[in-house]
Amino acid sequence: MTARIQKGKLAIAKELYDFIENEALPGSGLDSETYWKNFEQVVVDLSPKNKALLAKRDEIQAKIDEWHRNNKFELEAYKAFLKEIGYLLPEVEDFQISTENVDEEIALLAGAQLVVPVRNARYCLNAANARWGSLYDALYGFDVISEEGGAEKGKGYNPVRGDKVIAFAKNFLNETFPLANGSYADATRYAVEDKKLVVTLKDGSTTTLAKEAQFVGFNGEESAPVEIVLLNNGLHVIIEIDANSPIGKTDAAGVKDLVLEAAVTTIQDLEDSIAAVDAEEKVEGYRNWLGLMKGTLEESIEKNGKTVTRKLNKDRSHKNLIGGETTLHGRSLMLLRNVGHLMTNPAILVDGVEIYEGIMDALITPLLSFADIKGQNENKNSRKGSMYIVKPKMHGPEEVAFAVELFERAEQALGLPAKTLKIGIMDEERRTSVNLKNCIAQAKDRTIFINTGFMDRTGDEIHTFMEAGPFVRKGEVKAQIWFPAYENRNVMVGLQAGLRGKAQIGKGMWPKPDMLLDMYKTKIEHPEAGASCAWVPSPSGAVIHAIHYHQCNVSARQQELLKTEALPLDDLLTPPLATDTNWTEEEKTKELENNLQGILGYVVRWVDLGVGCSKVPGINNVGLMEDRATLRISSQHVANWLRHGIVTQQQVEEVMQRMAKIVDEQNANDPEYTNMAPSFDGYAYKAAYDLVFKGGEQPSGYTEPLLHAYRLKLKGYTGD
């Protein structure tokens, strides 16, 4: 039995109650009785609406399933059917969003965006501090720089590799901040003269920047600066100079590093990247967010035999060119992703029933943000007094409207000014994609973010068309016409709704955190598509991706896109069904191996260890970033092939058991890991099994209900 504190109708797990009473409420200006009374009223008022919206999801899906069982897919008939059942809605009149009090990182700057599990304090701090990152370190440590020609990373410093890093960095400077004459590779001295950057070259000549306005400040003496501050496309690059440092000694001008403004924004995540099934785990995430907002979060780690304490970085400052000082924000601007509308959580009960977790998040997380909203902290996040909440997994405009109502009620309950809570709308469900303009219209005075999330969106695509026929192989899904239409229409609808200069338009995660060369070669497609942010898996990834925002002026690109037409809705409505299912047995087996190994590798860590997002070795032992979105697509894909007889239950079970043994081997060096084989009767294996064989029954194909149920069983939870 969970120990609970009764406040009116609310039965609150003692761990959560104590956290609110002893850590969150003090200093907020709110008294306990008023807080819990208002909390109860919002829960009582809005829970029936939440429940009705979820019932509508099920009703609509049941009608779609029935239609596909009785009809061969034909686009015009299908569109008429969707309109008839209220799935495809008449488009609202043109409008422009009117969101106010938005920080420049969201409204104006284009750059890399990190997403990190807020339950992990070290990751939280690393991400918050990833606003600034060393280009030299990011290049040296990853495969952007080849190891050919004696440039291996090795254990100690390799000067051959170091030279390659420095050459790459100076080429970046040449391309981004070109000199009027010559190359940064030939620089022997930097100085400031008459408010200009003067660079001495090895032939004794001097030069300045081709675009002198790119030089915005420095630190140190004008004749011997220690930092040169440059600006391009709104992002800063700092040349650090120290001729006495190990790297600076090797450079003719004493340059020791380039520091890039990298992760401009970060999503601290309470949703897909964490496992939080009860009060204990929710409080861990809540406590870290509170520490981030107060500026007090710290984490001590052992590094090279020493204890290192990590905390939030301070702001940066430099001398500007008019005789004063300019302060630059020292940390990534943080958004918080709350959970969606689906799940409940046993942390709080009303009349013995778990409350909706999304309602709980909306009433607790703004309380935790009071110090920042009211400007009572030294390490400020928002300088505009706003809180940015990313809201996932909403199906259509009614559900966005409900989120807005929930935010309004939370503001009233907490005594916050109206529209303090801004909303990020994740376009990752099909009913949202086809009605995106209407969705944004429901939150036009709160919207600060839209994005595409390919994995969840694909999972919903498969589930929506579960009865229509077998899907193409997973690797071919992006090659179907729905995908470019989805990515393009998200940007175009956002631009037409006035998000340019007011809100972010985002793109999804790079899934291979160790393969940053491939990311460097390809991820520029995101800013070129008009996205002002895109997800990266690490601070080093943020530094590398930051280069793309120097290569592409996103604001100018968005202006160009506004002159073009969006790809047609018909493309978006065309499902990626296989027209030829004559796959060989080997092809089908490989598809199952890929899907099932990924499912097992992720689920075993989620259920057994409570790890919601991690780098999981894939079938080819390449580390892949896995979360519930990747799990959703893999499990739904296997469920779809089972449903249409492409594979049999016996085939899937045989491959699943074989893949469980491989996953066990991949985790053999983890002392906390529990093998799935040979018994195949642990909670993790059972969860993975059900995700596949009961995949068609899961609401919208979501993985959370089964994952939560099995982790709660593992933790011994039996209900109250």
Side-chain angles (χ1 to χ4, degrees):
M1 293 286 287
T2 301
R4 296 188 181 275
I5 305 298
Q6 196 73 32
K7 301 295 288 187
K9 293 183 177 181
L10 303 177
I12 308 149
K14 188 175 186 302
E15 185 164 6
L16 175 60
Y17 179 81
D18 288 346
F19 166 72
I20 297 293
E21 292 291 317
N22 300 328
E23 300 178 49
L25 281 172
S28 70
L30 296 176
D31 69 272
S32 173
E33 291 303 314
T34 302
Y35 175 73
W36 291 115
K37 180 181 178 181
N38 291 343
F39 195 120
E40 175 191 335
Q41 194 61 54
V42 175
V43 170
V44 169
D45 291 349
L46 296 190
S47 293
K49 294 185 178 183
N50 196 327
K51 185 176 182 179
L53 287 170
L54 298 179
K56 185 170 182 176
R57 290 184 190 178
D58 294 340
E59 291 164 9
I60 286 177
Q61 186 60 52
K63 291 176 181 177
I64 291 173
D65 287 344
E66 185 65 21
W67 190 88
H68 285 304
R69 282 192 286 264
N70 296 324
N71 297 274
K72 185 176 180 181
F73 182 81
E74 192 279 317
L75 185 59
E76 291 305 315
Y78 175 65
K79 282 164 60 178
F81 162 70
L82 292 184
K83 291 175 182 176
E84 177 187 323
I85 65 171
Y87 185 103
L88 185 57
L89 301 169
E91 195 172 83
V92 297
E93 294 292 325
D94 290 347
F95 67 94
Q96 301 283 286
I97 67 168
S98 56
T99 317
E100 296 180 346
N101 298 320
V102 181
D103 288 276
E104 67 172 3
E105 290 90 339
I106 285 174
L108 300 173
L109 296 183
Q113 186 170 67
L114 281 165
V115 184
V116 293
V118 77
R119 272 188 67 197
N120 188 309
R122 180 164 62 92
Y123 291 175
C124 290
L125 289 164
N126 287 349
N129 291 336
R131 176 66 170 261
W132 301 92
S134 164
L135 181 60
Y136 282 14
D137 286 351
L139 291 171
Y140 191 93
F142 289 89
D143 65 345
V144 177
I145 299 298
S146 164
E147 295 196 25
E148 294 177 0
E152 299 86 1
K153 287 193 280 288
K155 292 185 177 179
Y157 179 70
N158 180 347
V160 176
R161 186 169 185 80
D163 288 346
K164 283 190 174 185
V165 166
I166 292 166
F168 183 105
K170 293 193 174 181
N171 186 60
F172 164 71
L173 288 176
N174 285 330
E175 292 178 349
T176 311
F177 306 97
L179 299 172
N181 297 292
S183 167
Y184 285 92
D186 297 328
T188 60
R189 179 173 179 266
Y190 293 92
V192 180
E193 297 177 11
D194 298 325
K195 301 179 182 178
K196 296 178 182 179
L197 176 63
V198 176
V199 183
T200 302
L201 303 176
K202 66 181 181 182
D203 63 3
S205 65
T206 60
T207 186
T208 58
L209 293 177
K211 300 175 183 176
E212 292 181 352
Q214 289 185 313
F215 172 55
V216 296
F218 66 99
N219 277 319
E221 300 301 320
E222 291 187 357
S223 60
V226 296
E227 291 184 340
I228 300 294
V229 185
L230 307 174
L231 182 68
N232 180 60
N233 293 344
L235 299 176
H236 296 84
V237 172
I238 299 173
I239 303 173
E240 293 188 338
I241 301 170
D242 181 359
N244 295 317
S245 67
I247 303 302
K249 284 179 181 178
T250 69
D251 187 272
V255 174
K256 71 170 185 177
D257 204 352
L258 290 190
V259 175
L260 272 58
E261 195 168 13
V264 176
T265 54
T266 287
I267 297 177
Q268 301 281 352
D269 192 18
L270 276 167
E271 198 238 1
D272 253 10
S273 69
I274 71 167
V277 301
D278 58 9
E280 176 191 22
E281 293 171 351
K282 290 294 286 189
V283 166
E284 286 179 5
Y286 287 157
R287 180 174 285 120
N288 286 343
W289 179 253
L290 177 64
L292 289 169
M293 292 299 97
K294 285 187 170 182
T296 57
L297 185 64
E298 295 183 359
E299 178 80 351
S300 295
I301 61 170
E302 292 295 322
K303 194 170 184 179
N304 299 324
K306 297 180 180 179
T307 300
V308 178
T309 299
R310 293 187 176 168
K311 56 183 70 175
L312 289 171
N313 287 343
K314 302 296 183 183
D315 290 343
R316 287 177 169 263
S317 63
H318 63 259
K319 298 175 183 177
N320 57 42
L321 305 183
I322 56 174
E325 280 210 346
T326 297
T327 298
L328 301 179
H329 206 49
R331 299 158 304 284
S332 184
L333 183 80
M334 289 176 277
L335 303 83
L336 181 67
R337 182 159 62 168
N338 285 3
V339 303
H341 297 323
L342 175 66
M343 293 303 294
T344 60
N345 193 289
I348 302 178
L349 309 179
V350 173
D351 297 328
V353 178
E354 296 179 7
I355 72 167
Y356 286 105
E357 193 174 350
I359 296 177
M360 183 169 79
D361 276 354
L363 291 166
I364 292 176
T365 59
L367 171 65
L368 310 179
S369 306
F370 262 42
D372 192 61
I373 292 169
K374 297 185 175 183
Q376 297 170 345
N377 52 355
E378 179 185 352
N379 296 311
K380 291 180 174 58
N381 185 48
S382 171
R383 284 85 66 210
K384 299 287 189 177
S386 293
M387 180 184 178
Y388 305 105
I389 300 176
V390 178
K391 194 69 178 173
K393 295 181 172 60
M394 295 187 289
H395 294 245
E398 279 183 294
E399 296 198 10
V400 177
F402 176 73
V404 169
E405 181 181 6
L406 174 59
F407 286 8
E408 289 174 347
R409 291 296 302 272
E411 287 164 350
Q412 293 162 10
L414 297 168
L416 292 171
K419 301 181 180 61
T420 296
L421 308 181
K422 308 300 194 290
I423 189 168
I425 301 169
M426 296 193 68
D427 176 10
E428 54 187 353
E429 309 300 332
R430 195 169 184 273
R431 190 149 52 107
T432 292
S433 296
V434 301
N435 299 293
L436 183 58
K437 184 177 180 181
N438 296 33
C439 290
I440 299 171
Q442 291 292 341
K444 63 184 179 182
D445 53 2
R446 289 180 186 264
T447 296
I448 49 85
F449 168 96
I450 61 172
N451 83 330
T452 52
F454 166 70
M455 289 297 181
D456 259 312
R457 181 64 181 75
T458 302
D460 195 51
E461 188 83 4
I462 299 172
H463 190 82
T464 301
F465 286 102
M466 184 64 72
E467 296 295 322
F471 265 53
V472 297
R473 295 173 72 180
K474 193 169 73 172
E476 298 169 7
V477 169
K478 281 188 175 183
Q480 312 305 304
I481 64 171
W482 78 277
F483 177 71
Y486 164 58
E487 294 284 352
N488 169 264
R489 288 179 62 85
N490 175 275
V491 173
M492 294 302 297
V493 171
L495 292 177
Q496 290 161 4
L499 269 66
R500 179 175 179 267
K502 297 178 183 176
Q504 291 181 319
I505 299 176
K507 295 294 182 189
M509 179 66 76
W510 177 255
K512 302 173 183 178
D514 295 328
M515 300 177 70
L516 296 187
L517 175 60
D518 286 347
M519 188 190 81
Y520 177 65
K521 289 178 177 178
T522 61
K523 202 170 173 67
I524 193 171
E525 68 187 21
H526 285 159
E528 287 179 342
S532 58
C533 65
W535 289 358
V536 289
S538 66
S540 292
V543 173
I544 300 302
H545 187 41
I547 295 171
H548 295 140
Y549 296 93
H550 290 284
Q551 296 169 335
C552 176
N553 184 322
V554 173
S555 181
R557 178 65 183 139
Q558 290 179 339
Q559 193 67 36
E560 293 172 3
L561 287 168
L562 277 167
K563 301 172 186 174
T564 67
E565 294 291 325
L567 291 176
L569 179 63
D570 284 3
D571 288 0
L572 183 62
L573 290 170
T574 302
L577 299 173
T579 55
D580 179 7
T581 59
N582 193 28
W583 296 298
T584 67
E585 288 304 309
E586 182 182 3
E587 287 173 328
K588 288 187 280 190
T589 298
K590 285 188 177 299
E591 191 73 15
L592 287 178
E593 288 174 345
N594 179 280
N595 277 319
L596 295 171
Q597 187 274 342
I599 291 169
L600 289 161
Y602 175 71
V603 170
V604 71
R605 295 179 62 78
W606 206 103
V607 173
D608 285 356
L609 303 177
V611 177
C613 179
S614 57
K615 184 171 69 174
V616 176
I619 188 71
N620 298 312
N621 284 313
V622 174
L624 301 173
M625 291 301 294
E626 299 282 357
D627 63 11
R628 291 203 298 268
T630 57
L631 177 64
R632 185 182 181 194
I633 181 176
S634 296
S635 57
Q636 287 297 293
H637 194 270
V638 180
N640 173 263
W641 275 23
L642 277 165
R643 167 67 184 83
H644 295 284
I646 304 299
V647 294
T648 67
Q649 179 173 339
Q650 182 179 350
Q651 281 178 290
V652 174
E653 289 177 340
E654 184 276 322
V655 174
M656 184 173 273
Q657 291 191 4
R658 189 155 46 82
M659 292 302 104
K661 295 174 184 176
I662 289 176
V663 172
D664 288 347
E665 291 168 4
Q666 290 174 327
N667 288 276
N669 294 325
D670 185 346
E672 296 183 343
Y673 183 84
T674 301
N675 283 344
M676 291 180 282
S679 62
F680 307 114
D681 60 359
Y683 288 130
Y685 188 84
K686 288 178 180 178
Y689 188 94
D690 283 355
L691 282 165
V692 169
F693 289 104
K694 297 180 181 179
E697 307 165 20
Q698 300 312 300
S700 306
Y702 289 129
T703 63
E704 290 91 324
L706 286 169
L707 290 175
H708 279 233
Y710 277 105
R711 177 148 178 82
L712 285 168
K713 285 181 181 179
L714 181 133
K715 296 186 75 172
Y717 183 82
T718 57
D720 285 37

mmCIF file with all atom_site columns, all heavy atoms in Angstrom, residues 43 81 136 219 315 318 345 415 420 464 518 587:
data_model
loop_
_atom_site.group_PDB
_atom_site.id
_atom_site.type_symbol
_atom_site.label_atom_id
_atom_site.label_alt_id
_atom_site.label_comp_id
_atom_site.label_asym_id
_atom_site.label_entity_id
_atom_site.label_seq_id
_atom_site.pdbx_PDB_ins_code
_atom_site.Cartn_x
_atom_site.Cartn_y
_atom_site.Cartn_z
_atom_site.occupancy
_atom_site.B_iso_or_equiv
_atom_site.pdbx_formal_charge
_atom_site.auth_seq_id
_atom_site.auth_comp_id
_atom_site.auth_asym_id
_atom_site.auth_atom_id
_atom_site.pdbx_PDB_model_num
ATOM 1  N N   . VAL A 1 43  ? -8.896  19.119  -11.238 1.00 0.00 ? 43  VAL A N   1
ATOM 2  C CA  . VAL A 1 43  ? -8.960  17.686  -11.534 1.00 0.00 ? 43  VAL A CA  1
ATOM 3  C C   . VAL A 1 43  ? -10.409 17.236  -11.692 1.00 0.00 ? 43  VAL A C   1
ATOM 4  O O   . VAL A 1 43  ? -10.755 16.519  -12.652 1.00 0.00 ? 43  VAL A O   1
ATOM 5  C CB  . VAL A 1 43  ? -8.262  16.872  -10.424 1.00 0.00 ? 43  VAL A CB  1
ATOM 6  C CG1 . VAL A 1 43  ? -8.528  15.381  -10.601 1.00 0.00 ? 43  VAL A CG1 1
ATOM 7  C CG2 . VAL A 1 43  ? -6.757  17.137  -10.432 1.00 0.00 ? 43  VAL A CG2 1
ATOM 8  N N   . PHE A 1 81  ? -15.073 9.896   -46.492 1.00 0.00 ? 81  PHE A N   1
ATOM 9  C CA  . PHE A 1 81  ? -15.347 9.188   -45.243 1.00 0.00 ? 81  PHE A CA  1
ATOM 10 C C   . PHE A 1 81  ? -14.753 9.929   -44.049 1.00 0.00 ? 81  PHE A C   1
ATOM 11 O O   . PHE A 1 81  ? -15.415 10.102  -43.012 1.00 0.00 ? 81  PHE A O   1
ATOM 12 C CB  . PHE A 1 81  ? -14.792 7.764   -45.342 1.00 0.00 ? 81  PHE A CB  1
ATOM 13 C CG  . PHE A 1 81  ? -14.621 7.075   -44.025 1.00 0.00 ? 81  PHE A CG  1
ATOM 14 C CD1 . PHE A 1 81  ? -15.724 6.671   -43.287 1.00 0.00 ? 81  PHE A CD1 1
ATOM 15 C CD2 . PHE A 1 81  ? -13.355 6.833   -43.507 1.00 0.00 ? 81  PHE A CD2 1
ATOM 16 C CE1 . PHE A 1 81  ? -15.568 6.040   -42.059 1.00 0.00 ? 81  PHE A CE1 1
ATOM 17 C CE2 . PHE A 1 81  ? -13.186 6.209   -42.289 1.00 0.00 ? 81  PHE A CE2 1
ATOM 18 C CZ  . PHE A 1 81  ? -14.293 5.804   -41.562 1.00 0.00 ? 81  PHE A CZ  1
ATOM 19 N N   . TYR A 1 136 ? 36.702  22.329  -31.120 1.00 0.00 ? 136 TYR A N   1
ATOM 20 C CA  . TYR A 1 136 ? 37.870  21.446  -31.135 1.00 0.00 ? 136 TYR A CA  1
ATOM 21 C C   . TYR A 1 136 ? 37.539  20.105  -30.468 1.00 0.00 ? 136 TYR A C   1
ATOM 22 O O   . TYR A 1 136 ? 37.877  19.039  -30.992 1.00 0.00 ? 136 TYR A O   1
ATOM 23 C CB  . TYR A 1 136 ? 39.043  22.104  -30.408 1.00 0.00 ? 136 TYR A CB  1
ATOM 24 C CG  . TYR A 1 136 ? 39.792  23.165  -31.191 1.00 0.00 ? 136 TYR A CG  1
ATOM 25 C CD1 . TYR A 1 136 ? 39.271  23.722  -32.358 1.00 0.00 ? 136 TYR A CD1 1
ATOM 26 C CD2 . TYR A 1 136 ? 41.030  23.620  -30.755 1.00 0.00 ? 136 TYR A CD2 1
ATOM 27 C CE1 . TYR A 1 136 ? 39.973  24.691  -33.065 1.00 0.00 ? 136 TYR A CE1 1
ATOM 28 C CE2 . TYR A 1 136 ? 41.750  24.589  -31.456 1.00 0.00 ? 136 TYR A CE2 1
ATOM 29 C CZ  . TYR A 1 136 ? 41.211  25.126  -32.610 1.00 0.00 ? 136 TYR A CZ  1
ATOM 30 O OH  . TYR A 1 136 ? 41.916  26.076  -33.303 1.00 0.00 ? 136 TYR A OH  1
ATOM 31 N N   . ASN A 1 219 ? 37.501  40.192  -25.330 1.00 0.00 ? 219 ASN A N   1
ATOM 32 C CA  . ASN A 1 219 ? 37.953  40.296  -23.946 1.00 0.00 ? 219 ASN A CA  1
ATOM 33 C C   . ASN A 1 219 ? 39.475  40.366  -23.940 1.00 0.00 ? 219 ASN A C   1
ATOM 34 O O   . ASN A 1 219 ? 40.142  39.893  -24.868 1.00 0.00 ? 219 ASN A O   1
ATOM 35 C CB  . ASN A 1 219 ? 37.462  39.113  -23.112 1.00 0.00 ? 219 ASN A CB  1
ATOM 36 C CG  . ASN A 1 219 ? 36.034  39.313  -22.620 1.00 0.00 ? 219 ASN A CG  1
ATOM 37 O OD1 . ASN A 1 219 ? 35.663  40.418  -22.206 1.00 0.00 ? 219 ASN A OD1 1
ATOM 38 N ND2 . ASN A 1 219 ? 35.223  38.261  -22.674 1.00 0.00 ? 219 ASN A ND2 1
ATOM 39 N N   . ASP A 1 315 ? 26.272  33.474  -16.893 1.00 0.00 ? 315 ASP A N   1
ATOM 40 C CA  . ASP A 1 315 ? 26.239  34.175  -18.168 1.00 0.00 ? 315 ASP A CA  1
ATOM 41 C C   . ASP A 1 315 ? 27.650  34.566  -18.586 1.00 0.00 ? 315 ASP A C   1
ATOM 42 O O   . ASP A 1 315 ? 28.563  34.668  -17.751 1.00 0.00 ? 315 ASP A O   1
ATOM 43 C CB  . ASP A 1 315 ? 25.364  35.429  -18.081 1.00 0.00 ? 315 ASP A CB  1
ATOM 44 C CG  . ASP A 1 315 ? 23.885  35.110  -17.940 1.00 0.00 ? 315 ASP A CG  1
ATOM 45 O OD1 . ASP A 1 315 ? 23.502  33.958  -18.230 1.00 0.00 ? 315 ASP A OD1 1
ATOM 46 O OD2 . ASP A 1 315 ? 23.120  36.009  -17.552 1.00 0.00 ? 315 ASP A OD2 1
ATOM 47 N N   . HIS A 1 318 ? 31.332  40.219  -22.550 1.00 0.00 ? 318 HIS A N   1
ATOM 48 C CA  . HIS A 1 318 ? 32.500  40.662  -23.308 1.00 0.00 ? 318 HIS A CA  1
ATOM 49 C C   . HIS A 1 318 ? 32.432  42.166  -23.522 1.00 0.00 ? 318 HIS A C   1
ATOM 50 O O   . HIS A 1 318 ? 31.364  42.785  -23.398 1.00 0.00 ? 318 HIS A O   1
ATOM 51 C CB  . HIS A 1 318 ? 32.603  39.934  -24.649 1.00 0.00 ? 318 HIS A CB  1
ATOM 52 C CG  . HIS A 1 318 ? 31.450  40.200  -25.580 1.00 0.00 ? 318 HIS A CG  1
ATOM 53 N ND1 . HIS A 1 318 ? 30.412  39.311  -25.754 1.00 0.00 ? 318 HIS A ND1 1
ATOM 54 C CD2 . HIS A 1 318 ? 31.167  41.250  -26.404 1.00 0.00 ? 318 HIS A CD2 1
ATOM 55 C CE1 . HIS A 1 318 ? 29.552  39.794  -26.622 1.00 0.00 ? 318 HIS A CE1 1
ATOM 56 N NE2 . HIS A 1 318 ? 29.980  40.973  -27.029 1.00 0.00 ? 318 HIS A NE2 1
ATOM 57 N N   . ASN A 1 345 ? -1.604  8.246   -13.481 1.00 0.00 ? 345 ASN A N   1
ATOM 58 C CA  . ASN A 1 345 ? -0.459  7.929   -12.633 1.00 0.00 ? 345 ASN A CA  1
ATOM 59 C C   . ASN A 1 345 ? -0.939  7.723   -11.204 1.00 0.00 ? 345 ASN A C   1
ATOM 60 O O   . ASN A 1 345 ? -1.765  8.504   -10.704 1.00 0.00 ? 345 ASN A O   1
ATOM 61 C CB  . ASN A 1 345 ? 0.566   9.067   -12.685 1.00 0.00 ? 345 ASN A CB  1
ATOM 62 C CG  . ASN A 1 345 ? 1.907   8.674   -12.099 1.00 0.00 ? 345 ASN A CG  1
ATOM 63 O OD1 . ASN A 1 345 ? 2.038   8.512   -10.895 1.00 0.00 ? 345 ASN A OD1 1
ATOM 64 N ND2 . ASN A 1 345 ? 2.906   8.523   -12.967 1.00 0.00 ? 345 ASN A ND2 1
ATOM 65 N N   . GLY A 1 415 ? -2.411  31.487  -9.552  1.00 0.00 ? 415 GLY A N   1
ATOM 66 C CA  . GLY A 1 415 ? -2.296  32.937  -9.463  1.00 0.00 ? 415 GLY A CA  1
ATOM 67 C C   . GLY A 1 415 ? -1.289  33.535  -10.421 1.00 0.00 ? 415 GLY A C   1
ATOM 68 O O   . GLY A 1 415 ? -0.698  34.585  -10.139 1.00 0.00 ? 415 GLY A O   1
ATOM 69 N N   . THR A 1 420 ? 0.864   33.041  -19.242 1.00 0.00 ? 420 THR A N   1
ATOM 70 C CA  . THR A 1 420 ? 2.232   32.771  -18.809 1.00 0.00 ? 420 THR A CA  1
ATOM 71 C C   . THR A 1 420 ? 2.734   31.458  -19.408 1.00 0.00 ? 420 THR A C   1
ATOM 72 O O   . THR A 1 420 ? 3.896   31.342  -19.803 1.00 0.00 ? 420 THR A O   1
ATOM 73 C CB  . THR A 1 420 ? 2.309   32.685  -17.274 1.00 0.00 ? 420 THR A CB  1
ATOM 74 O OG1 . THR A 1 420 ? 1.976   33.952  -16.711 1.00 0.00 ? 420 THR A OG1 1
ATOM 75 C CG2 . THR A 1 420 ? 3.704   32.289  -16.811 1.00 0.00 ? 420 THR A CG2 1
ATOM 76 N N   . THR A 1 464 ? -3.262  3.669   -37.493 1.00 0.00 ? 464 THR A N   1
ATOM 77 C CA  . THR A 1 464 ? -4.469  4.170   -38.157 1.00 0.00 ? 464 THR A CA  1
ATOM 78 C C   . THR A 1 464 ? -4.863  3.259   -39.313 1.00 0.00 ? 464 THR A C   1
ATOM 79 O O   . THR A 1 464 ? -6.050  2.987   -39.532 1.00 0.00 ? 464 THR A O   1
ATOM 80 C CB  . THR A 1 464 ? -4.239  5.600   -38.677 1.00 0.00 ? 464 THR A CB  1
ATOM 81 O OG1 . THR A 1 464 ? -3.888  6.449   -37.577 1.00 0.00 ? 464 THR A OG1 1
ATOM 82 C CG2 . THR A 1 464 ? -5.490  6.151   -39.345 1.00 0.00 ? 464 THR A CG2 1
ATOM 83 N N   . ASP A 1 518 ? 28.036  11.499  -40.547 1.00 0.00 ? 518 ASP A N   1
ATOM 84 C CA  . ASP A 1 518 ? 26.818  11.370  -41.347 1.00 0.00 ? 518 ASP A CA  1
ATOM 85 C C   . ASP A 1 518 ? 25.846  12.494  -41.015 1.00 0.00 ? 518 ASP A C   1
ATOM 86 O O   . ASP A 1 518 ? 25.169  13.033  -41.898 1.00 0.00 ? 518 ASP A O   1
ATOM 87 C CB  . ASP A 1 518 ? 26.155  10.012  -41.103 1.00 0.00 ? 518 ASP A CB  1
ATOM 88 C CG  . ASP A 1 518 ? 26.910  8.866   -41.766 1.00 0.00 ? 518 ASP A CG  1
ATOM 89 O OD1 . ASP A 1 518 ? 27.792  9.152   -42.602 1.00 0.00 ? 518 ASP A OD1 1
ATOM 90 O OD2 . ASP A 1 518 ? 26.625  7.696   -41.450 1.00 0.00 ? 518 ASP A OD2 1
ATOM 91 N N   . GLU A 1 587 ? 14.256  -11.819 -46.368 1.00 0.00 ? 587 GLU A N   1
ATOM 92 C CA  . GLU A 1 587 ? 13.923  -10.404 -46.175 1.00 0.00 ? 587 GLU A CA  1
ATOM 93 C C   . GLU A 1 587 ? 12.981  -10.224 -44.995 1.00 0.00 ? 587 GLU A C   1
ATOM 94 O O   . GLU A 1 587 ? 13.144  -9.300  -44.184 1.00 0.00 ? 587 GLU A O   1
ATOM 95 C CB  . GLU A 1 587 ? 13.300  -9.838  -47.456 1.00 0.00 ? 587 GLU A CB  1
ATOM 96 C CG  . GLU A 1 587 ? 14.292  -9.638  -48.589 1.00 0.00 ? 587 GLU A CG  1
ATOM 97 C CD  . GLU A 1 587 ? 13.623  -9.250  -49.891 1.00 0.00 ? 587 GLU A CD  1
ATOM 98 O OE1 . GLU A 1 587 ? 12.472  -9.684  -50.136 1.00 0.00 ? 587 GLU A OE1 1
ATOM 99 O OE2 . GLU A 1 587 ? 14.253  -8.521  -50.684 1.00 0.00 ? 587 GLU A OE2 1
#
